[in-house]
Amino acid sequence: MADDAPASAPSPGVREGQWLWSPRAEFAAASNIAHYQRWLKSERGLDLPDYSALHQWSVTEIAPFWASIWDYFDVQSATPYARVFDERKMPGARWFEGSRVNYAEHLLRHEAVAADGEAAFHHLTETRPLAQMSWQQLGRQVRILATQLRALGVVPGDRVVSYMPNVPETAVAMIATLAVGGVWSSAAPEFGVKTVIDRFSQIAPKVMFACDGYRFGGKDFSRVDEVAEIASRLPSLGCIVWLPYLQPASGVPDKIPQALLWSTLMDQPDVPREQFVYERVPFDHPIWVVFSSGTTGLPKAIVHSHVGVLVEHLKLMHFHLNLRPGAPMFFYSTTGWMMWNLLIAALLTGGSAVLYDGSPMHPGPDFLWQLAARTRCVSFGASPTFVQMMEKAGLKPGSDHDLSALESIVVAGSPSTPETFDWFYRCVKQDLWVTSQSGGTEICSGFVGAVPTLPVYAGEIQALMLGMDVQAWNDDGVSVVDEVGELMVMSPFPSMPLYFWNDDGDQRYRDSYFAHAPGVWRHGDYIKINARGGCYIYGRSDSTLNRYGVRIGTAEIYRCVEQLPEIADSLIVCCELAGGRYFMPMFLQLRAGHVLDDGLRERISRKLRADCSPRHVPDQLYAVELIPYTLTGKKMELPVRKILMGWPVEKAVSRDAMMQPAAIDWFIDFTQRNSEMLKG
């Protein structure tokens, strides 16, 4: 794939921005995006010779660009759209008014031309061997389940939720829900009851898909009691569809009497493809509700549209990930992360998705590379933390496994370092398109990411994605190049949220992204855009925690920990350290008469694991006299994080804005005493 691939592996002292790889001319010419550029020239008369020109056109001529995406991919609509969008404004732009589409219909379009037995899913769990689900099997199961959902009374707009592992049944449930116009939402089974209720209670679901548990690292975790409690606290539920995953031969538990067995629901006659009718829904019909991490209260219930997600994912999966029919894509994810939605979106390209549920390190640290070899993965994805685990284990997957089919690496979930890129070239293969992406749950896509026609530089995200009008702003609100600034989006795009559920007047939506600069999206990441268009993400500029590639909301942790009688108050931050590592300490203000001993530490950790997830457990716990607050009553998470990461105190915090200015002194002293540790 590379014209001038390094003769030997990059040196261990790889520098940020160091050239690592360029695509071969034939690889670039055969890419989906190159085909699109040729189409634009022949069909639209547009000569856009390089990616920079293509991107500039996509953000200045917004309507013609997104219209070209619609036409290029032949989007199926029951009615024509009246216009691409109504106004160049954020929020509130209305996309493809008049159209009626269905995302699920496009996910399954390849079934009509797929070879008999061609895989749509490769799937493996710690309880099930590696197997395949063909396009024909997937289509058959979706149509049966969709028909049964209609029989259960699910109509367009009804919410259908999932508390299921990363298995084909969950994907079938999502696609079937969307096929009938239902609104999908998912939580991973490792989430605790309160975390699930905080999400699902906001949207009043009618149906819930649930399982009896999951296995991780060789250990089984029952979820029967949790499902029973969740069901008891969701009065809107009319039905639970029960999947006996850990105990396949078991029936419906006595604790969940209203449940129907998955096998009973699916033991129905086939519904021929030509007879099944997808519910083509209006342009502003919700497709799903995805949840933020709950930094400032309950997790934000973010609603996207069928048409917005469809055109965005067609663009993303074809042009930026370069997937094609028959190409397997793997990304290590749980069903509670939007990356799972993107993994299923591989079907839009005619490619296949590799689903895995379990520990990435069980039974051995090279397990996922074995999976990549066995499924002939073309695209392999994980978070930078996964690379750290691989490097610590001393793995050299390129030497130990047949990765000859592998073309690209997708690194997402947290900022990548030059060392992350370097490891892939040293230990996997030198002729490899190593990519990093950054976006968010809010858009179910990326702002910056991969381009198969561009070179790869160490630690650098290749480019701004098509249709994403991104700038870096300094503290004065000026767009800057080669300087770190706030990631700001200047123009609307289709996969912006329609709204937040139960957000009267869109107030929370506006406060989340537009309070900083009305009409301009402030994402909450630090970004640097260099002169050649490459990008670097330097972590969060707000208080959202980012640990092991998964964003975690501080409010969820506070609500859990502060239920303990010993805890008066708390504050948690996550600091990015050298080499892509993280340090997530929690600071506790104890009630009078209590001490932070080993017993209390264990109780806190146990409660966070049970109520939230293992990822919510801090790295260290520290007792402090006071938690610092602003005059308006907000915990000073970002100033504390800045101080711990070495910012000058005068730039990190304004004492005049504090309720009790002396409260910050403990953190200043802590940073000075632990400077070497905090430097990594």
Side-chain angles (χ1 to χ4, degrees), residues 322 391-392 400 544 549 608 650 652:
N322 200 39
E391 188 163 27
K392 186 176 181 180
D400 300 334
T544 303
L608 282 167
E650 64 275 11

Side-chain angles (χ1 to χ4, degrees), residues 168-201:
E169 291 92 337
T170 311
V172 168
M174 181 186 82
I175 299 171
T177 297
L178 303 184
V180 301
V183 182
W184 174 259
S185 194
S186 177
E190 68 264 24
F191 285 5
V193 170
K194 191 174 190 317
T195 301
V196 176
I197 292 298
D198 282 350
R199 288 159 170 75
F200 291 168
S201 63

Side-chain angles (χ1 to χ4, degrees), residues 75-272:
V75 171
Q76 299 297 296
S77 175
T79 53
Y81 63 82
R83 53 189 173 183
V84 175
F85 69 100
D86 59 343
E87 293 184 72
R88 192 165 181 156
K89 64 178 181 180
M90 293 188 292
R94 295 158 65 89
W95 292 88
F96 297 101
E97 289 182 87
S99 66
R100 298 184 69 92
V101 305
N102 188 284
Y103 182 85
E105 180 179 8
H106 289 79
L107 283 177
L108 292 179
R109 280 178 81 177
H110 187 71
E111 182 194 358
V113 298
D116 189 32
E118 181 184 340
F121 293 138
H122 307 263
H123 52 97
L124 173 70
T125 77
E126 290 192 18
T127 69
R128 297 174 174 177
L130 181 62
Q132 293 184 3
M133 175 179 281
S134 71
W135 281 92
Q136 293 80 15
Q137 290 170 322
L138 173 60
R140 173 183 175 274
Q141 290 195 24
V142 166
R143 289 187 288 274
I144 289 174
L145 183 55
T147 301
Q148 292 304 302
L149 287 174
R150 282 170 168 156
L152 290 170
V154 175
V155 299
D158 283 344
R159 277 75 66 202
V160 176
V161 298
S162 164
Y163 191 51
M164 298 262 283
N166 185 10
V167 292
E169 291 92 337
T170 311
V172 168
M174 181 186 82
I175 299 171
T177 297
L178 303 184
V180 301
V183 182
W184 174 259
S185 194
S186 177
E190 68 264 24
F191 285 5
V193 170
K194 191 174 190 317
T195 301
V196 176
I197 292 298
D198 282 350
R199 288 159 170 75
F200 291 168
S201 63
Q202 297 187 57
I203 61 174
K206 177 180 273 189
V207 175
M208 179 168 70
F209 289 86
C211 65
D212 58 350
Y214 67 99
R215 182 174 295 175
F216 189 89
K219 183 178 179 181
D220 287 347
F221 297 86
S222 173
R223 280 297 182 256
V224 175
D225 290 343
E226 285 80 359
V227 173
E229 185 174 352
I230 291 167
S232 71
R233 296 170 64 181
L234 293 175
S236 61
L237 274 184
C239 176
I240 295 173
V241 180
W242 184 256
L243 178 69
Y245 171 64
L246 289 180
Q247 304 292 331
S250 63
V252 173
D254 293 338
K255 294 180 179 180
I256 312 173
Q258 72 269 48
L260 297 172
L261 273 176
W262 171 274
S263 57
T264 301
L265 210 59
M266 298 300 292
D267 186 18
Q268 305 292 333
D270 289 359
V271 180

Side-chain angles (χ1 to χ4, degrees), residues 515-536:
H516 184 80
V520 180
W521 177 296
R522 176 181 179 268
H523 191 58
D525 279 343
Y526 287 124
I527 185 173
K528 179 174 72 177
I529 304 171
N530 62 28
R532 62 170 169 253
C535 309
Y536 296 86

Side-chain angles (χ1 to χ4, degrees), residues 527-599:
I527 185 173
K528 179 174 72 177
I529 304 171
N530 62 28
R532 62 170 169 253
C535 309
Y536 296 86
I537 298 291
Y538 292 106
R540 299 296 293 169
S541 62
D542 60 19
S543 59
T544 303
L545 307 175
N546 194 337
R547 192 181 192 217
Y548 303 135
V550 177
R551 288 183 180 179
I552 300 170
T554 55
E556 289 184 312
I557 295 179
Y558 298 147
R559 289 196 298 271
C560 176
V561 169
E562 291 171 15
Q563 292 174 9
L564 294 171
E566 297 91 343
I567 309 302
D569 206 352
S570 60
L571 185 144
I572 190 166
V573 296
C574 189
C575 303
E576 292 87 10
L577 305 181
R581 295 180 297 111
Y582 298 90
F583 177 57
M584 193 168 88
M586 188 170 198
F587 305 96
L588 304 168
Q589 182 179 330
L590 303 176
R591 297 189 185 279
H594 296 284
V595 296
L596 183 59
D597 55 19
D598 290 343

